[in-house]
Amino acid sequence: FESYHRPPVVTEKNTFVEKKNHKPREKMKFFIGYSFSPTAPYGITIGGVARRVGWYARFKTNMSFRDYTKECNDERVLDVRNDVYYQFTPGMKKKTNSHIGTAGLVIKCTPWLYTSVGLGYGERSLLWHYTAYSYTNNNIQEEAWCKNIDSSYKGIAGDIDVMVKLGQVYISAGCSTISFEYIDLNAGLGVFF
C-alpha cells in the first residue's frame, strides 16, 4: 500500500503595499549676516535651517583689546603706591573690552518667522583711565587704565533672537546676557542662500 503524497498547493497572494506620501526632504538653507549690539558693534552670525530646526554660531566684539595695570571699583578705590595719589580723568574717560561667542538652535516657526536661542562665553571689561601723581612734587608718575571689577563681567553668555525673513534677506532683534548679570540688545541683518 503506497502512500500518496500530494504536493503542496502554492497560492499566489496579491500583496498591495500602500506608499505613503512623503514630502521630499527639504535641503538646508544657510544664512550669514552682520550682528550688532551697543557694546559689541562688530559681529557675524552664520547658520543653517532645514525643514523646522537649524543651528547658528555668532561672534561679536568691539575690537578693543586695551590692557589695564590695576583694578578699581564703583567707589573709585584704586590700590596705588604709598608715595603717589591718583585722580580719574575728568569726565571719567572710559573704555570697554567686549567679546562674546555663542552657538545654538534656530527654530522655524513659520516660513518667514524664526527664533534662535544659544549659549557660549562672554567677557565685558569696563576700564577707567587714571593718572597717578607724586606727593613730593606733583609730577605725573603714571597714566594708565584700571579695570572696574564691579562693572565687569565674564562667564556664560546667552542670547535669544527673533528673525524675520523677507525673501532672501532677514532682519533680527533680541538680547544677550553675560553671567545673567549684564544684558545687552542684539540686532542683525543678513541673507539666506
Side-chain angles (χ1 to χ4, degrees), residues 142-163:
E142 178 183 42
E143 281 192 74
W145 295 87
C146 66
K147 177 182 175 181
N148 182 335
I149 57 174
D150 291 339
S151 298
S152 296
Y153 310 94
K154 68 177 177 178
I156 293 173
D159 52 27
I160 185 165
D161 286 276
V162 173
M163 298 168 59

Side-chain angles (χ1 to χ4, degrees), residues 67-118:
D67 203 6
Y68 59 93
T69 58
K70 300 193 181 309
E71 293 182 343
C72 55
N73 60 21
D74 283 341
E75 281 75 42
R76 301 183 184 191
V77 176
L78 177 66
D79 185 25
V80 293
R81 301 186 329 245
N82 291 333
D83 61 337
V84 300
Y85 65 96
Y86 65 90
Q87 285 183 338
F88 287 100
T89 305
M92 288 303 296
K93 189 174 175 185
K94 300 175 185 178
K95 277 274 185 190
T96 304
N97 295 342
S98 187
H99 315 286
I100 302 168
T102 54
L105 287 175
V106 176
I107 298 167
K108 184 178 181 182
C109 304
T110 69
W112 57 271
L113 183 65
Y114 300 73
T115 185
S116 65
V117 61

